[in-house]
């Protein structure tokens, strides 16, 4: 059975809130630890497979969602708690952190499959309407592994407060309108989506700085490095031998200029292939951030989809489809009206390397 084990962790009591760079450092350290794991050990040496994980950090600590395959819920939870505790203990900067909560969620699709196949007098009725009636009549069970309501509401408020900073994309691009007949999402849903994009800017830029530092230490390219990268690993793998330190620097500068334009009105779209790729990464990170804080409702999802459809009439379009081969061409402006930062377009590699 597949279980989702949600683990919340926090530094020692009285520790100051984590700033943006510290949060990215925490994510990097946890990612490095979990990427080295293929399985975790349960009771009596039982092997429990770690199938996937999601890691997020916030000012008060970190949130993990571990997808594990285990024979029973208790085994999944115990093994996850044990491996996280061990990971914290052997990671010196996190050695004083504590596990605040460790709870299990069932994968809903697999749970339904199991219920539908169950036999015996306690099996649920085959009729979906009767199952729904019984479910409605039952006492609601508290959700396991979710963030505290206060944490969710705090993030909801934060994202809505950040939304006005996204001047490039007014709320109507997310589907909100003062005219009820033209409105597809509420103001709150549009503001949560817009605020999540602003929130994701910090994540994007900090991940690139972290990757750049890792590549400078363990390079010379992503293909030849044993390091774990937060964003560079998600770029098209066929070019991994071209992801050098210089490329990472150019990409970081491009990300800074792109995201700065998002705080200004009259956004004209990506100016080069690299900006197109980064904008797509930013949209994905914004959705993930909203989801991690239980704010990715159907309406917020619609808001993201509305913006994406507005920005790209063909959602199947790949920015690399018509790009010349070689990552150096990712920074070539699409046209004379689409300037790219001079550092990113400089062809003099020796001067950029400081020689």
């Amino acid at each position: 059975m597949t279980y989702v084990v949600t683990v919340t962790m926090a530094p020692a009591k009285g520790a100051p809130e984590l700033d943006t760079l510290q949060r990215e450092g925490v994510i990097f350290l946890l990612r490095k630890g979990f990427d080295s794991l293929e399985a975790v050990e349960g009771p009596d040496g039982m092997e429990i497979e770690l199938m996937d994980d999601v890691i997020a950090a916030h000012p008060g600590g970190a949130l993990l969602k571990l997808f594990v395959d285990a024979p029973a819920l208790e085994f999944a939870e115990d093994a996850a708690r044990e491996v996280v505790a061990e990971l914290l203990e052997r990671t010196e900067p996190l050695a004083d952190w504590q596990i605040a909560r460790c709870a299990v969620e069932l994968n809903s699709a697999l749970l339904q499959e199991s219920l539908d196949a169950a036999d015996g007098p306690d099996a649920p009725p085959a009729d979906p309407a009767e199952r729904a009636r019984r479910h409605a009549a039952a006492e609601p069970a508290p959700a396991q592994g979710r963030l505290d309501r206060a944490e969710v509401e705090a993030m909801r408020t934060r994202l809505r407060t950040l939304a006005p900073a996204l001047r490039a994309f007014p709320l109507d691009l997310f589907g909100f309108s003062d005219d009820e007949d033209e409105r597809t999402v509420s103001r709150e849903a549009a503001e949560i989506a817009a605020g999540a994009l602003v929130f994701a800017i910090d994540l994007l830029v900090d991940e690139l700085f972290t990757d750049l530092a890792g590549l400078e230490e363990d390079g010379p390219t992503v293909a030849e490095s044993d390091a774990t990268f937060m964003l560079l690993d998600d770029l098209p793998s066929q070019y991994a031998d071209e992801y050098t330190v210089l490329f990472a620097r150019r990409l970081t500068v491009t990300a800074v200029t792109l995201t700065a334009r998002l705080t200004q009105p009259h956004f004209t779209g990506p100016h080069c292939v690299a900006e197109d790729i980064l904008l797509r990464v930013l949209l994905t990170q914004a959705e993930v951030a909203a989801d991690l804080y239980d704010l990715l409702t159907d309406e917020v999802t619609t808001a993201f989809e509305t913006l994406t459809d507005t920005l790209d009439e063909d959602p199947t379009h790949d920015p690399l489809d018509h790009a010349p081969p070689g990552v150096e061409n990712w920074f070539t402006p699409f046209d004379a009206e689409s300037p790219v930062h001079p550092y990113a377009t400089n062809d003099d590699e020796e001067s950029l390397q400081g020689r």
Side-chain angles (χ1 to χ4, degrees):
M1 175 71 75
T2 301
Y3 299 92
V4 181
V5 185
T6 302
V7 185
T8 57
M9 301 174 300
K13 239 179 191 178
E17 286 194 343
L18 304 174
D19 61 28
T20 303
L21 190 56
Q22 288 171 326
R23 295 199 295 272
E24 289 305 314
V26 169
I27 293 174
F28 177 76
L29 290 171
L30 292 173
R31 164 65 55 223
K32 198 169 184 180
F34 279 108
D35 281 350
S36 67
L37 296 173
E38 294 182 0
V40 295
E41 192 172 298
D44 300 324
M46 180 187 303
E47 189 176 277
I48 295 176
E49 184 181 1
L50 179 60
M51 302 173 67
D52 201 359
D53 59 75
V54 177
I55 305 174
H58 53 87
L63 171 70
L64 307 177
K65 286 186 180 287
L66 306 179
F67 296 76
V68 299
D69 190 26
L73 181 150
E74 293 82 3
F75 296 157
E77 182 176 300
D78 290 347
R81 183 186 295 275
E82 210 170 293
V83 76
V84 171
E86 182 182 339
L87 178 60
L88 292 177
E89 187 178 345
R90 72 177 189 226
T91 307
E92 187 177 345
L94 305 177
D96 63 344
W97 280 45
Q98 301 294 322
I99 297 174
R101 183 173 58 202
C102 182
V104 171
E105 298 172 6
L106 286 170
N107 179 297
S108 57
L110 293 178
L111 176 60
Q112 188 59 57
E113 182 181 324
S114 298
L115 289 174
D116 290 343
D119 294 318
D122 295 325
D127 181 13
E130 177 60 18
R131 286 206 303 267
R133 186 194 67 75
R134 290 194 187 183
H135 178 73
E139 285 293 322
Q144 289 185 320
R146 295 290 182 183
L147 292 171
D148 291 338
R149 182 176 295 277
E151 293 177 286
V152 174
E153 293 308 313
M155 179 54 77
R156 186 194 308 276
T157 300
R158 183 178 181 188
L159 295 186
R160 297 189 70 181
T161 301
L162 289 173
L166 194 74
R167 298 174 65 198
F169 302 146
L171 297 185
D172 62 285
L173 295 186
F174 292 91
F176 173 75
S177 172
D178 291 326
D179 185 340
E180 290 189 14
D181 294 334
E182 298 180 6
R183 185 185 308 161
T184 57
V185 302
S186 66
R187 173 180 287 276
E188 178 177 307
E191 287 178 344
I192 288 173
L197 270 169
V198 178
F199 181 81
I201 289 174
D202 280 358
L203 303 180
L204 176 71
V205 175
D206 283 339
E207 284 179 3
L208 281 167
F209 276 122
T210 302
D211 281 0
L212 175 57
L215 194 56
E216 287 176 332
E217 183 176 345
D218 296 308
T221 69
V222 168
E224 298 171 80
S225 174
D226 292 328
T228 299
F229 299 101
M230 305 178 76
L231 191 145
L232 295 178
D233 277 343
D234 292 332
L235 296 179
S237 58
Q238 65 267 36
Y239 300 106
D241 59 347
E242 297 183 56
Y243 300 151
T244 62
V245 169
L246 178 57
F247 168 81
R249 290 175 181 171
R250 284 172 162 161
L251 195 66
T252 303
V253 168
T254 303
V256 170
T257 54
L258 167 68
T259 53
R261 296 209 316 275
L262 297 183
T263 65
Q264 303 299 319
H266 313 303
F267 184 71
T268 54
H271 289 180
C272 60
V273 170
E275 285 197 358
D276 197 346
I277 292 172
L278 288 167
L279 184 58
R280 292 164 188 266
V281 171
L282 184 69
L283 285 163
T284 299
Q285 290 185 331
E287 287 196 62
V288 170
D291 190 26
L292 283 171
Y293 285 91
D294 292 339
L295 294 172
L296 191 64
T297 62
D298 290 344
E299 200 175 18
V300 173
T301 299
T302 298
F304 279 119
E305 290 173 348
T306 303
L307 176 67
T308 302
D309 291 344
T310 303
L311 296 177
D312 191 350
E313 295 180 0
D314 180 9
T316 64
H317 163 70
D318 186 327
L320 298 178
D321 282 346
H322 305 292
V327 298
E328 69 277 2
N329 294 304
W330 291 11
F331 305 98
T332 303
F334 287 142
D335 52 57
E337 303 302 316
S338 304
V340 174
H341 196 285
Y343 184 94
T345 57
N346 191 345
D347 291 329
D348 186 352
E349 184 164 341
E350 288 194 2
S351 70
L352 290 176
Q353 295 285 17
R355 294 175 185 155

